[in-house]
Amino acid sequence: DPTNLASHLPLSIGYLPQYAAFHEGVTVREALDFGLSLRMPISVKQQQRQEWLASIVQLTGIDQLLDQSVDTLSGGQKRRLALAEELLGDPQFLFLDELTSGLDPNSELEMMQWLRNLVDQTGKTIVLVTHAVGNLNHCDEVLFLCKGNLLYAGPPRQLINHFGLSTIEELYASAESFEPRPIRDTIAQPIEPAALQTAKPPAGIFQLATLLKRQFLLFARDKGQVFLHLLLLFSFPFLVA
């Protein structure tokens, strides 16, 4: 039950929206360090934390970007960074919204191959919402929806043949003419649930300390804000008087 997981084991579910938000005044390394402090329990020793961070960096292929400022990253690099941040909590389930949208064909292919390798290496379950259909062969199952109605559920290689068409473009053009498929027909035989290896994030007070530290760092690097606050600090008494 996703609701129970979100409330009792929040780190078991990872969600990445189409446009991830970053504080662009930090480096990739700093962004990951802050993300780790917000997700990993405080009881984990520093050496273990750094080893886990190093493994995520290697897994996502961003080791050459660690000292680069976030605001200089390309769109594909930012999405890899966003994925790395979500993987810091080691979620068993990853929900990705339009992760490959807007990427050039080569970047899209690399991202789909990377997601395929991630599933093969870790056994995670990934649900990807996408309109980019050129690399669906890397998926195990495809659900094709039209206006919220399920039209197909099955292997990607059978998607076009199921509708008696020859191209995916034809399917998009004529999707509204097909009858929806009952959801109950797509539900597979339930499997025995397995225990999730996860934990709760740090207590709120520790997360607050991390957020304050990050905010202070961002403020200190914004010379315009520092100058403005100093100007107000010294000029305010004269203005009041």
Side-chain angles (χ1 to χ4, degrees):
D1 184 346
T3 303
N4 289 335
L5 283 177
S7 60
H8 295 98
L9 296 173
L11 294 183
S12 64
I13 297 179
Y15 170 68
L16 190 60
Q18 181 176 359
Y19 300 106
F22 295 102
H23 291 87
E24 297 190 343
V26 298
T27 65
V28 171
R29 188 190 306 275
E30 290 168 339
L32 291 174
D33 282 337
F34 287 129
L36 191 66
S37 298
L38 290 171
R39 289 171 173 82
M40 186 164 286
I42 198 69
S43 59
V44 179
K45 295 181 179 180
Q46 184 64 21
Q47 181 179 352
Q48 291 177 294
R49 297 163 73 92
Q50 293 307 312
E51 289 175 353
W52 175 244
L53 179 58
S55 69
I56 296 298
V57 167
Q58 183 177 12
L59 180 64
T60 52
I62 58 174
D63 48 304
Q64 300 298 319
L65 307 174
L66 290 177
D67 297 318
Q68 192 168 328
S69 180
V70 171
D71 58 2
T72 65
L73 300 180
S74 67
Q77 290 171 336
K78 285 185 177 180
R79 295 188 190 191
R80 283 183 176 270
L81 172 58
L83 272 172
E85 286 190 326
E86 285 302 316
L87 290 173
L88 289 173
D90 197 21
Q92 186 61 35
F93 306 97
L94 267 175
F95 295 88
L96 310 177
D97 183 15
E98 298 285 3
L99 181 68
T100 59
S101 295
L103 297 180
D104 62 78
N106 184 62
S107 297
E108 179 200 341
L109 174 60
E110 290 181 347
M111 184 63 71
M112 292 298 290
Q113 290 174 333
W114 184 84
L115 291 175
R116 177 73 261 174
N117 291 333
L118 177 64
V119 171
D120 293 338
Q121 293 177 29
T122 65
K124 298 181 185 300
T125 298
I126 297 180
V127 178
L128 172 66
V129 178
T130 183
H131 289 87
V133 295
N135 296 290
L136 291 181
N137 57 301
H138 293 289
C139 302
D140 294 310
E141 296 284 328
V142 170
L143 275 69
F144 190 89
L145 304 176
C146 179
K147 294 185 176 180
N149 295 315
L150 178 65
L151 300 184
Y152 174 82
R157 63 181 178 276
Q158 298 177 11
L159 174 61
I160 302 301
N161 293 335
H162 175 80
F163 296 98
L165 302 174
S166 56
T167 66
I168 191 67
E169 289 78 13
E170 291 179 315
L171 177 55
Y172 269 97
S174 58
E176 294 184 24
S177 64
F178 294 102
E179 288 294 324
R181 182 177 180 180
I183 296 293
R184 61 178 178 272
D185 293 346
T186 67
I187 300 177
Q189 185 68 25
I191 61 175
E192 190 68 23
L196 295 178
Q197 300 297 319
T198 185
K200 290 187 176 183
I205 186 66
F206 296 109
Q207 291 184 323
L208 176 61
T210 298
L211 294 174
L212 290 175
K213 180 180 178 181
R214 182 177 65 187
Q215 198 61 32
F216 178 79
L217 178 64
L218 292 169
F219 173 76
R221 290 181 178 174
D222 189 339
K223 293 182 175 58
Q225 285 292 327
V226 172
F227 175 78
L228 178 61
H229 281 73
L230 288 175
L231 180 63
L232 289 174
L233 176 65
F234 290 107
S235 64
F236 187 74
F238 298 100
L239 293 175
V240 173

